[in-house]
Amino acid sequence: MKKSGLLGCILLLLLSSCGDGQKSFKIEGSFKGFNQGELYIYGVNGSHKLDTVGVSRGEFTYQAAITEPTTLIVVFPNYSELPVFAEPGISIRMKGDASHLRETEVKGSEINKSMTDFRLRTCNMTPPQVLSEAEKFIHEHPESPISLYLLSRHFIQTAEPDFVKAQELAKGILKAMPNQKQVAVLCKQLESFQMLKVGQRLPVFSAKGMKGESVSSSDLNAKVNVITLWASWNYESINIQNLLMRLQKQHSGDLKVLSISIDGSVKDCQRVVERDSVRWSTICDGSMWETPVLQKVGMTYLPDNIIVDSQGKILARTLNYQDLNKKIEELIK
């Protein structure tokens, strides 16, 4: 799930209308080339806790009680993700090929058909073309929850997020849905994210580490300080963790590290922390992209990192393994 970690959690929003009460929602799936294994399913914006679903002979069934329309993300073993728009009392059918997941058909409601049509229409396009199509869809359908998904997927949770464009599009959605408080919050968040550029100061934050210790931005007072975002299932982020462990040993006292994990399972996070003997504080509350400190520091991509000096000034952010290594060595010299 390298692209954005479980896609869409930090800023994806729920559908706006409410149901008449708690009713069952069902997903039935059939996938060629996927004989046996497990899927993850979770609701965006903290609307539905992470569930594990078993797949047998290429098929699975998932059922849950929901009270209102909800955007769910289905995560496959290779960490590809597909959105499903759930509504109380309806059943959704997913059918596809494990080697071509972007071409998966999701049927059962008009909104899922529309999302499928968008994916099929854009699956062979170049990234700039898909971006253009996403922007066009948002302009034409600002009231649709698909627009909220596309906004986050293509303009926010990317290696190079365009917060200016994202805010412009979010304002269009808010104009179409003026009573959606969560969209108003999103607009404010995007405005603050635009200030988190190199040269700006890191926002003040506080949280609890996995051992119950207090963690805050004031702890980052070494010559070089790194906040790193990782997950147990993301190999690139684990490699960056290992790099930082090596560099901290080499530059004891000059380099401080704080980790934030977006694992949905705190136990999975703890297992990796103990396995790798991670010595610095790790924040993991099981809320994935909804972890409050992420919204403070504007981390929207996996893996991600921010380098700050002893005064909290942002020196660099979202560097890959090689560039992060080079930058830290340069700053410590």
Side-chain angles (χ1 to χ4, degrees):
M1 211 163 357
K2 171 184 174 181
K3 56 188 177 184
S4 58
L6 301 170
L7 177 65
C9 284
I10 182 173
L11 293 171
L12 294 183
L13 303 171
L14 303 179
L15 303 182
S16 58
S17 61
C18 293
D20 296 326
Q22 193 174 67
K23 295 182 180 179
S24 178
F25 167 76
K26 186 177 182 180
I27 304 176
E28 294 180 302
S30 177
F31 286 88
K32 181 181 178 181
F34 182 10
N35 186 43
Q36 193 166 348
E38 290 184 334
L39 303 173
Y40 292 114
I41 296 179
Y42 65 88
V44 303
N45 207 37
S47 59
H48 192 76
K49 291 184 178 180
L50 182 75
D51 278 339
T52 302
V53 184
V55 178
S56 178
R57 297 180 181 179
E59 298 187 351
F60 74 91
T61 300
Y62 177 75
Q63 194 162 329
I66 60 175
T67 59
E68 60 184 358
T70 304
T71 303
L72 300 176
I73 304 296
V74 180
V75 187
F76 294 83
N78 65 351
Y79 299 109
S80 296
E81 303 175 341
L82 289 175
V84 173
F85 300 95
E87 298 176 55
I90 72 167
S91 295
I92 296 298
R93 180 71 185 175
M94 303 179 70
K95 185 177 181 180
D97 189 318
S99 60
H100 299 89
L101 288 174
R102 286 193 300 174
E103 300 175 19
T104 298
E105 293 188 357
V106 183
K107 299 180 179 180
S109 68
E110 282 301 314
I111 189 171
N112 283 290
K113 182 180 182 300
S114 294
M115 185 69 238
T116 297
D117 290 344
F118 181 89
R119 279 191 290 100
L120 294 178
R121 188 172 72 253
T122 60
C123 66
N124 294 317
M125 290 183 179
T126 64
Q129 289 174 328
V130 175
L131 199 68
S132 178
E133 287 296 311
E135 183 175 354
K136 180 181 177 182
F137 186 99
I138 295 169
H139 280 306
E140 293 178 350
H141 309 281
E143 76 293 339
S144 172
I146 294 176
S147 292
L148 291 169
Y149 172 81
L150 295 177
L151 172 64
S152 183
R153 169 66 181 87
H154 296 289
F155 297 94
I156 299 173
Q157 292 189 320
T158 69
E160 297 181 359
D162 188 343
F163 295 135
V164 174
K165 174 61 70 173
Q167 188 182 31
E168 174 191 320
L169 295 172
K171 286 181 177 178
I173 293 173
L174 183 60
K175 184 177 180 180
M177 299 189 294
N179 296 323
Q180 258 287 7
K181 293 181 179 179
Q182 289 176 311
V183 182
V185 170
L186 172 60
C187 289
K188 290 182 179 179
Q189 287 178 331
L190 290 169
E191 184 176 357
S192 65
F193 285 178
Q194 293 176 45
M195 301 301 295
L196 300 177
K197 299 177 181 178
V198 173
Q200 302 296 322
R201 289 186 61 83
L202 188 72
V204 174
F205 66 84
S206 60
K208 288 287 185 183
M210 293 188 65
K211 297 178 181 178
E213 76 277 21
S214 295
V215 180
S216 72
S217 51
S218 62
D219 297 329
L220 303 175
N221 53 15
K223 184 175 183 179
V224 178
N225 307 272
V226 180
I227 303 174
T228 178
L229 182 64
W230 67 283
S232 63
W233 35 261
N234 184 274
Y235 302 118
E236 186 176 355
S237 69
I238 295 293
N239 287 338
I240 288 176
Q241 286 266 102
N242 293 332
L243 166 67
L244 292 170
M245 290 177 67
R246 176 174 62 80
L247 290 174
Q248 193 179 57
K249 287 180 181 178
Q250 293 176 357
H251 305 289
S252 178
D254 287 330
L255 175 63
K256 280 191 174 182
V257 181
L258 170 64
S259 289
I260 305 171
S261 168
I262 60 165
D263 273 288
S265 167
V266 177
K267 289 183 178 179
D268 287 346
C269 176
Q270 185 66 46
R271 174 179 52 80
V272 174
V273 168
E274 293 176 353
R275 182 196 69 192
D276 295 345
S277 300
V278 177
R279 300 182 184 278
W280 55 72
S281 291
T282 298
I283 298 170
C284 181
D285 59 10
S287 298
M288 304 172 73
W289 288 100
E290 295 305 309
T291 299
V293 69
L294 290 182
Q295 299 180 31
K296 274 279 190 178
V297 300
M299 299 178 102
T300 62
Y301 183 74
L302 185 67
D304 206 354
N305 49 74
I306 301 175
I307 303 178
V308 299
D309 65 14
S310 60
Q311 303 303 310
K313 180 181 178 181
I314 300 174
L315 304 177
R317 59 181 307 155
T318 316
L319 301 180
N320 61 32
Y321 183 101
Q322 292 80 8
D323 290 342
L324 181 63
N325 185 17
K326 181 180 179 181
K327 187 67 174 180
I328 291 174
E329 293 286 9
E330 288 177 352
L331 291 170
I332 289 179
K333 285 182 180 177

